[in-house]
Amino acid sequence: MEIQQSLFLSSLQEPETKEKAFKTLVQEYKERLYWHIRKIVLDHEDANDVIQNTFIKIHLNIDKFKGDSSLFTWMYRIATNESINLINSKSSKMGVQNQEWIESKAAGLEADSYFDGDEAALILQKLVAKLPEKQRIVFNMKYFDGMSYQTISEILGTSQGALKASYHHAVQKIKTKLND
């Protein structure tokens, strides 16, 4: 896999092969990144904006990527940061806290034609939206995406111990709300 990533990275960084390799990258990761972003921002249109910004940043900065982490974790870090930037920007423009903005998006999921979850999924999304930002992102990455703490640690730049604590607290809060 490392040789593959190295070869692919070379083709992304070589002017003659960059565009073709980038199209392959987009095809390979757009759906996974979209759903990662969507779970953070909750809204389809916002997720589309963020994924576009994410791929623009990846394209503009791929030459600077040194391979200290995997390409996957580097792209997820960009997607996560872009998602948080969108939330900060939108909530600031509306004059509300980030948490309020996310909860209002969760409340509108029932009317979202792009949300295809059942009633249980809707309840879970509303409960997840009430979590503090870090817990919400860690919960999404661990529970929905099935990522390891090691991978999440590389993406978020947080220790595995802190991530385990965040996930544990998130699960406890969700269980408590479900039992109420």
Side-chain angles (χ1 to χ4, degrees):
M1 179 74 184
E2 195 162 317
I3 292 173
Q4 248 182 340
Q5 178 174 306
S6 177
L7 291 171
F8 187 63
L9 186 55
S10 294
S11 63
L12 280 166
Q13 294 175 333
E14 292 294 325
E16 311 81 50
T17 55
K18 183 175 184 172
E19 292 309 313
K20 184 178 180 195
F22 189 74
K23 284 179 185 175
T24 301
L25 180 87
V26 171
Q27 284 303 115
E28 182 69 29
Y29 288 101
K30 70 179 177 186
E31 189 171 341
R32 287 171 73 188
L33 284 173
Y34 168 83
W35 287 109
H36 170 68
I37 292 165
R38 176 73 190 264
K39 285 188 281 293
I40 298 172
V41 301
L42 297 179
D43 179 79
H44 171 70
E45 295 302 323
D46 289 337
N48 277 339
D49 290 345
V50 172
I51 192 121
Q52 203 169 14
N53 290 342
T54 298
F55 279 119
I56 288 169
K57 279 207 170 170
I58 290 168
H59 191 270
L60 292 174
N61 294 295
I62 195 68
D63 294 334
K64 297 173 191 155
F65 178 69
K66 303 290 184 232
D68 296 337
S69 64
S70 74
L71 190 57
F72 167 83
T73 58
W74 181 71
M75 291 188 310
Y76 266 68
R77 185 177 309 124
I78 292 170
T80 302
N81 290 339
E82 286 297 307
S83 299
I84 292 168
N85 289 343
L86 178 123
I87 293 168
N88 290 340
S89 172
K90 294 245 176 168
S91 62
S92 175
K93 284 179 186 169
M94 292 180 68
V96 298
Q97 297 292 318
N98 290 5
Q99 192 66 37
E100 289 176 79
W101 187 83
I102 284 294
E103 288 180 30
S104 73
K105 288 294 177 181
L109 279 175
E110 292 157 276
D112 185 339
S113 61
Y114 293 99
F115 180 78
D116 62 356
D118 57 13
E119 187 176 343
L122 185 61
I123 290 168
L124 181 58
Q125 283 299 326
K126 288 181 178 183
L127 292 174
V128 171
K130 293 183 182 299
L131 295 171
E133 183 174 80
K134 183 80 164 199
Q135 288 178 12
R136 188 167 47 82
I137 291 170
V138 171
F139 182 84
N140 283 334
M141 294 170 95
K142 183 72 180 155
Y143 182 82
F144 291 113
D145 297 339
M147 290 184 188
S148 68
Y149 287 115
Q150 173 66 38
T151 302
I152 299 169
S153 174
E154 290 172 17
I155 293 169
L156 299 179
T158 304
S159 75
Q160 290 184 48
L163 293 172
K164 288 176 183 177
S166 288
Y167 183 74
H168 174 76
H169 290 303
V171 169
Q172 292 309 112
K173 287 176 183 177
I174 290 169
K175 281 182 181 177
T176 300
K177 293 288 185 188
L178 283 173
N179 290 332
D180 287 348

PDB file of all heavy atoms in Angstrom, residues 3-26:
ATOM      1  N   ILE A   3       3.876   1.667  -1.231  1.00  0.00           N
ATOM      2  CA  ILE A   3       4.450   1.869  -2.567  1.00  0.00           C
ATOM      3  C   ILE A   3       3.378   2.443  -3.478  1.00  0.00           C
ATOM      4  O   ILE A   3       3.623   3.379  -4.220  1.00  0.00           O
ATOM      5  CB  ILE A   3       5.022   0.549  -3.141  1.00  0.00           C
ATOM      6  CG1 ILE A   3       6.253   0.134  -2.331  1.00  0.00           C
ATOM      7  CG2 ILE A   3       5.374   0.708  -4.609  1.00  0.00           C
ATOM      8  CD1 ILE A   3       6.790  -1.226  -2.685  1.00  0.00           C
ATOM      9  N   GLN A   4       2.161   1.895  -3.391  1.00  0.00           N
ATOM     10  CA  GLN A   4       1.051   2.402  -4.186  1.00  0.00           C
ATOM     11  C   GLN A   4       0.816   3.877  -3.898  1.00  0.00           C
ATOM     12  O   GLN A   4       0.669   4.662  -4.811  1.00  0.00           O
ATOM     13  CB  GLN A   4      -0.217   1.618  -3.872  1.00  0.00           C
ATOM     14  CG  GLN A   4      -0.694   0.770  -5.001  1.00  0.00           C
ATOM     15  CD  GLN A   4      -1.986   0.058  -4.635  1.00  0.00           C
ATOM     16  OE1 GLN A   4      -2.336  -0.104  -3.471  1.00  0.00           O
ATOM     17  NE2 GLN A   4      -2.685  -0.377  -5.642  1.00  0.00           N
ATOM     18  N   GLN A   5       0.745   4.242  -2.608  1.00  0.00           N
ATOM     19  CA  GLN A   5       0.517   5.643  -2.246  1.00  0.00           C
ATOM     20  C   GLN A   5       1.656   6.502  -2.767  1.00  0.00           C
ATOM     21  O   GLN A   5       1.425   7.579  -3.290  1.00  0.00           O
ATOM     22  CB  GLN A   5       0.375   5.826  -0.732  1.00  0.00           C
ATOM     23  CG  GLN A   5       0.176   7.308  -0.387  1.00  0.00           C
ATOM     24  CD  GLN A   5      -0.118   7.577   1.061  1.00  0.00           C
ATOM     25  OE1 GLN A   5      -1.039   7.007   1.608  1.00  0.00           O
ATOM     26  NE2 GLN A   5       0.647   8.464   1.660  1.00  0.00           N
ATOM     27  N   SER A   6       2.876   6.019  -2.654  1.00  0.00           N
ATOM     28  CA  SER A   6       4.036   6.765  -3.120  1.00  0.00           C
ATOM     29  C   SER A   6       3.965   7.014  -4.625  1.00  0.00           C
ATOM     30  O   SER A   6       4.214   8.126  -5.099  1.00  0.00           O
ATOM     31  CB  SER A   6       5.309   6.004  -2.759  1.00  0.00           C
ATOM     32  OG  SER A   6       6.435   6.667  -3.259  1.00  0.00           O
ATOM     33  N   LEU A   7       3.605   5.978  -5.381  1.00  0.00           N
ATOM     34  CA  LEU A   7       3.462   6.131  -6.835  1.00  0.00           C
ATOM     35  C   LEU A   7       2.327   7.076  -7.185  1.00  0.00           C
ATOM     36  O   LEU A   7       2.453   7.928  -8.066  1.00  0.00           O
ATOM     37  CB  LEU A   7       3.233   4.769  -7.499  1.00  0.00           C
ATOM     38  CG  LEU A   7       4.407   3.800  -7.507  1.00  0.00           C
ATOM     39  CD1 LEU A   7       3.972   2.432  -8.004  1.00  0.00           C
ATOM     40  CD2 LEU A   7       5.535   4.347  -8.362  1.00  0.00           C
ATOM     41  N   PHE A   8       1.206   6.909  -6.491  1.00  0.00           N
ATOM     42  CA  PHE A   8       0.043   7.758  -6.748  1.00  0.00           C
ATOM     43  C   PHE A   8       0.364   9.209  -6.386  1.00  0.00           C
ATOM     44  O   PHE A   8       0.024  10.127  -7.127  1.00  0.00           O
ATOM     45  CB  PHE A   8      -1.172   7.256  -5.982  1.00  0.00           C
ATOM     46  CG  PHE A   8      -2.436   7.992  -6.330  1.00  0.00           C
ATOM     47  CD1 PHE A   8      -2.947   7.933  -7.623  1.00  0.00           C
ATOM     48  CD2 PHE A   8      -3.092   8.741  -5.390  1.00  0.00           C
ATOM     49  CE1 PHE A   8      -4.108   8.614  -7.963  1.00  0.00           C
ATOM     50  CE2 PHE A   8      -4.252   9.428  -5.716  1.00  0.00           C
ATOM     51  CZ  PHE A   8      -4.766   9.364  -7.008  1.00  0.00           C
ATOM     52  N   LEU A   9       1.029   9.403  -5.262  1.00  0.00           N
ATOM     53  CA  LEU A   9       1.411  10.748  -4.839  1.00  0.00           C
ATOM     54  C   LEU A   9       2.338  11.394  -5.868  1.00  0.00           C
ATOM     55  O   LEU A   9       2.174  12.565  -6.206  1.00  0.00           O
ATOM     56  CB  LEU A   9       2.086  10.703  -3.461  1.00  0.00           C
ATOM     57  CG  LEU A   9       2.409  12.041  -2.816  1.00  0.00           C
ATOM     58  CD1 LEU A   9       1.176  12.915  -2.707  1.00  0.00           C
ATOM     59  CD2 LEU A   9       3.013  11.826  -1.447  1.00  0.00           C
ATOM     60  N   SER A  10       3.271  10.615  -6.393  1.00  0.00           N
ATOM     61  CA  SER A  10       4.166  11.131  -7.439  1.00  0.00           C
ATOM     62  C   SER A  10       3.369  11.590  -8.654  1.00  0.00           C
ATOM     63  O   SER A  10       3.636  12.651  -9.213  1.00  0.00           O
ATOM     64  CB  SER A  10       5.169  10.059  -7.874  1.00  0.00           C
ATOM     65  OG  SER A  10       6.034   9.758  -6.821  1.00  0.00           O
ATOM     66  N   SER A  11       2.367  10.788  -9.034  1.00  0.00           N
ATOM     67  CA  SER A  11       1.567  11.173 -10.203  1.00  0.00           C
ATOM     68  C   SER A  11       0.708  12.404  -9.910  1.00  0.00           C
ATOM     69  O   SER A  11       0.418  13.181 -10.815  1.00  0.00           O
ATOM     70  CB  SER A  11       0.713  10.008 -10.694  1.00  0.00           C
ATOM     71  OG  SER A  11      -0.225   9.618  -9.733  1.00  0.00           O
ATOM     72  N   LEU A  12       0.332  12.604  -8.635  1.00  0.00           N
ATOM     73  CA  LEU A  12      -0.415  13.815  -8.263  1.00  0.00           C
ATOM     74  C   LEU A  12       0.479  15.054  -8.273  1.00  0.00           C
ATOM     75  O   LEU A  12      -0.003  16.172  -8.457  1.00  0.00           O
ATOM     76  CB  LEU A  12      -1.022  13.657  -6.863  1.00  0.00           C
ATOM     77  CG  LEU A  12      -2.302  12.858  -6.757  1.00  0.00           C
ATOM     78  CD1 LEU A  12      -2.588  12.504  -5.305  1.00  0.00           C
ATOM     79  CD2 LEU A  12      -3.471  13.617  -7.357  1.00  0.00           C
ATOM     80  N   GLN A  13       1.761  14.858  -8.067  1.00  0.00           N
ATOM     81  CA  GLN A  13       2.672  15.988  -7.953  1.00  0.00           C
ATOM     82  C   GLN A  13       3.445  16.286  -9.240  1.00  0.00           C
ATOM     83  O   GLN A  13       4.096  17.312  -9.331  1.00  0.00           O
ATOM     84  CB  GLN A  13       3.622  15.764  -6.769  1.00  0.00           C
ATOM     85  CG  GLN A  13       2.870  15.770  -5.448  1.00  0.00           C
ATOM     86  CD  GLN A  13       3.729  15.436  -4.236  1.00  0.00           C
ATOM     87  OE1 GLN A  13       4.731  14.746  -4.347  1.00  0.00           O
ATOM     88  NE2 GLN A  13       3.311  15.923  -3.083  1.00  0.00           N
ATOM     89  N   GLU A  14       3.367  15.390 -10.215  1.00  0.00           N
ATOM     90  CA  GLU A  14       4.038  15.607 -11.498  1.00  0.00           C
ATOM     91  C   GLU A  14       3.117  16.390 -12.425  1.00  0.00           C
ATOM     92  O   GLU A  14       1.967  15.989 -12.629  1.00  0.00           O
ATOM     93  CB  GLU A  14       4.401  14.271 -12.162  1.00  0.00           C
ATOM     94  CG  GLU A  14       5.467  13.490 -11.442  1.00  0.00           C
ATOM     95  CD  GLU A  14       6.823  14.175 -11.461  1.00  0.00           C
ATOM     96  OE1 GLU A  14       7.161  14.827 -12.476  1.00  0.00           O
ATOM     97  OE2 GLU A  14       7.529  14.070 -10.439  1.00  0.00           O
ATOM     98  N   PRO A  15       3.593  17.503 -13.006  1.00  0.00           N
ATOM     99  CA  PRO A  15       2.732  18.326 -13.876  1.00  0.00           C
ATOM    100  C   PRO A  15       2.072  17.551 -15.023  1.00  0.00           C
ATOM    101  O   PRO A  15       0.914  17.799 -15.346  1.00  0.00           O
ATOM    102  CB  PRO A  15       3.684  19.389 -14.420  1.00  0.00           C
ATOM    103  CG  PRO A  15       4.785  19.469 -13.416  1.00  0.00           C
ATOM    104  CD  PRO A  15       4.921  18.088 -12.834  1.00  0.00           C
ATOM    105  N   GLU A  16       2.779  16.586 -15.609  1.00  0.00           N
ATOM    106  CA  GLU A  16       2.236  15.853 -16.759  1.00  0.00           C
ATOM    107  C   GLU A  16       1.089  14.922 -16.367  1.00  0.00           C
ATOM    108  O   GLU A  16       0.227  14.614 -17.197  1.00  0.00           O
ATOM    109  CB  GLU A  16       3.315  14.994 -17.458  1.00  0.00           C
ATOM    110  CG  GLU A  16       4.617  15.678 -17.785  1.00  0.00           C
ATOM    111  CD  GLU A  16       5.558  15.751 -16.589  1.00  0.00           C
ATOM    112  OE1 GLU A  16       5.813  14.739 -15.919  1.00  0.00           O
ATOM    113  OE2 GLU A  16       6.045  16.875 -16.337  1.00  0.00           O
ATOM    114  N   THR A  17       1.079  14.426 -15.143  1.00  0.00           N
ATOM    115  CA  THR A  17       0.084  13.433 -14.733  1.00  0.00           C
ATOM    116  C   THR A  17      -0.876  13.947 -13.659  1.00  0.00           C
ATOM    117  O   THR A  17      -1.796  13.222 -13.263  1.00  0.00           O
ATOM    118  CB  THR A  17       0.806  12.167 -14.200  1.00  0.00           C
ATOM    119  OG1 THR A  17       1.693  12.560 -13.145  1.00  0.00           O
ATOM    120  CG2 THR A  17       1.579  11.473 -15.303  1.00  0.00           C
ATOM    121  N   LYS A  18      -0.678  15.180 -13.210  1.00  0.00           N
ATOM    122  CA  LYS A  18      -1.434  15.714 -12.078  1.00  0.00           C
ATOM    123  C   LYS A  18      -2.952  15.705 -12.319  1.00  0.00           C
ATOM    124  O   LYS A  18      -3.704  15.236 -11.470  1.00  0.00           O
ATOM    125  CB  LYS A  18      -0.969  17.133 -11.740  1.00  0.00           C
ATOM    126  CG  LYS A  18      -1.653  17.723 -10.526  1.00  0.00           C
ATOM    127  CD  LYS A  18      -1.075  19.068 -10.145  1.00  0.00           C
ATOM    128  CE  LYS A  18      -1.713  19.573  -8.872  1.00  0.00           C
ATOM    129  NZ  LYS A  18      -1.049  20.771  -8.367  1.00  0.00           N
ATOM    130  N   GLU A  19      -3.388  16.220 -13.459  1.00  0.00           N
ATOM    131  CA  GLU A  19      -4.834  16.330 -13.695  1.00  0.00           C
ATOM    132  C   GLU A  19      -5.525  14.972 -13.741  1.00  0.00           C
ATOM    133  O   GLU A  19      -6.573  14.782 -13.138  1.00  0.00           O
ATOM    134  CB  GLU A  19      -5.119  17.131 -14.969  1.00  0.00           C
ATOM    135  CG  GLU A  19      -4.761  18.605 -14.858  1.00  0.00           C
ATOM    136  CD  GLU A  19      -5.327  19.303 -13.629  1.00  0.00           C
ATOM    137  OE1 GLU A  19      -6.534  19.149 -13.326  1.00  0.00           O
ATOM    138  OE2 GLU A  19      -4.550  20.005 -12.944  1.00  0.00           O
ATOM    139  N   LYS A  20      -4.926  14.025 -14.430  1.00  0.00           N
ATOM    140  CA  LYS A  20      -5.517  12.681 -14.518  1.00  0.00           C
ATOM    141  C   LYS A  20      -5.534  12.019 -13.136  1.00  0.00           C
ATOM    142  O   LYS A  20      -6.534  11.419 -12.731  1.00  0.00           O
ATOM    143  CB  LYS A  20      -4.745  11.819 -15.513  1.00  0.00           C
ATOM    144  CG  LYS A  20      -5.362  10.459 -15.706  1.00  0.00           C
ATOM    145  CD  LYS A  20      -4.619   9.631 -16.715  1.00  0.00           C
ATOM    146  CE  LYS A  20      -5.311   8.279 -16.859  1.00  0.00           C
ATOM    147  NZ  LYS A  20      -4.496   7.308 -17.526  1.00  0.00           N
ATOM    148  N   ALA A  21      -4.430  12.139 -12.414  1.00  0.00           N
ATOM    149  CA  ALA A  21      -4.352  11.546 -11.072  1.00  0.00           C
ATOM    150  C   ALA A  21      -5.345  12.218 -10.130  1.00  0.00           C
ATOM    151  O   ALA A  21      -5.976  11.553  -9.300  1.00  0.00           O
ATOM    152  CB  ALA A  21      -2.926  11.669 -10.528  1.00  0.00           C
ATOM    153  N   PHE A  22      -5.521  13.531 -10.274  1.00  0.00           N
ATOM    154  CA  PHE A  22      -6.457  14.243  -9.404  1.00  0.00           C
ATOM    155  C   PHE A  22      -7.890  13.794  -9.680  1.00  0.00           C
ATOM    156  O   PHE A  22      -8.680  13.623  -8.749  1.00  0.00           O
ATOM    157  CB  PHE A  22      -6.314  15.760  -9.561  1.00  0.00           C
ATOM    158  CG  PHE A  22      -7.098  16.518  -8.532  1.00  0.00           C
ATOM    159  CD1 PHE A  22      -6.659  16.578  -7.220  1.00  0.00           C
ATOM    160  CD2 PHE A  22      -8.292  17.140  -8.862  1.00  0.00           C
ATOM    161  CE1 PHE A  22      -7.393  17.254  -6.247  1.00  0.00           C
ATOM    162  CE2 PHE A  22      -9.030  17.816  -7.906  1.00  0.00           C
ATOM    163  CZ  PHE A  22      -8.575  17.875  -6.604  1.00  0.00           C
ATOM    164  N   LYS A  23      -8.231  13.574 -10.941  1.00  0.00           N
ATOM    165  CA  LYS A  23      -9.576  13.070 -11.270  1.00  0.00           C
ATOM    166  C   LYS A  23      -9.792  11.705 -10.624  1.00  0.00           C
ATOM    167  O   LYS A  23     -10.876  11.422 -10.109  1.00  0.00           O
ATOM    168  CB  LYS A  23      -9.753  12.980 -12.786  1.00  0.00           C
ATOM    169  CG  LYS A  23      -9.972  14.318 -13.437  1.00  0.00           C
ATOM    170  CD  LYS A  23     -10.127  14.186 -14.935  1.00  0.00           C
ATOM    171  CE  LYS A  23     -10.230  15.578 -15.556  1.00  0.00           C
ATOM    172  NZ  LYS A  23     -10.263  15.528 -17.025  1.00  0.00           N
ATOM    173  N   THR A  24      -8.769  10.881 -10.636  1.00  0.00           N
ATOM    174  CA  THR A  24      -8.850   9.565  -9.993  1.00  0.00           C
ATOM    175  C   THR A  24      -9.055   9.731  -8.488  1.00  0.00           C
ATOM    176  O   THR A  24      -9.874   9.042  -7.876  1.00  0.00           O
ATOM    177  CB  THR A  24      -7.571   8.746 -10.276  1.00  0.00           C
ATOM    178  OG1 THR A  24      -7.427   8.595 -11.689  1.00  0.00           O
ATOM    179  CG2 THR A  24      -7.616   7.384  -9.608  1.00  0.00           C
ATOM    180  N   LEU A  25      -8.321  10.650  -7.898  1.00  0.00           N
ATOM    181  CA  LEU A  25      -8.440  10.932  -6.463  1.00  0.00           C
ATOM    182  C   LEU A  25      -9.861  11.362  -6.115  1.00  0.00           C
ATOM    183  O   LEU A  25     -10.451  10.864  -5.156  1.00  0.00           O
ATOM    184  CB  LEU A  25      -7.431  12.021  -6.067  1.00  0.00           C
ATOM    185  CG  LEU A  25      -7.436  12.420  -4.596  1.00  0.00           C
ATOM    186  CD1 LEU A  25      -6.515  11.492  -3.825  1.00  0.00           C
ATOM    187  CD2 LEU A  25      -6.979  13.853  -4.449  1.00  0.00           C
ATOM    188  N   VAL A  26     -10.408  12.271  -6.904  1.00  0.00           N
ATOM    189  CA  VAL A  26     -11.770  12.763  -6.663  1.00  0.00           C
ATOM    190  C   VAL A  26     -12.761  11.601  -6.763  1.00  0.00           C
ATOM    191  O   VAL A  26     -13.604  11.422  -5.882  1.00  0.00           O
ATOM    192  CB  VAL A  26     -12.140  13.902  -7.641  1.00  0.00           C
ATOM    193  CG1 VAL A  26     -13.619  14.252  -7.547  1.00  0.00           C
ATOM    194  CG2 VAL A  26     -11.287  15.138  -7.362  1.00  0.00           C
TER     195      VAL A  26
END
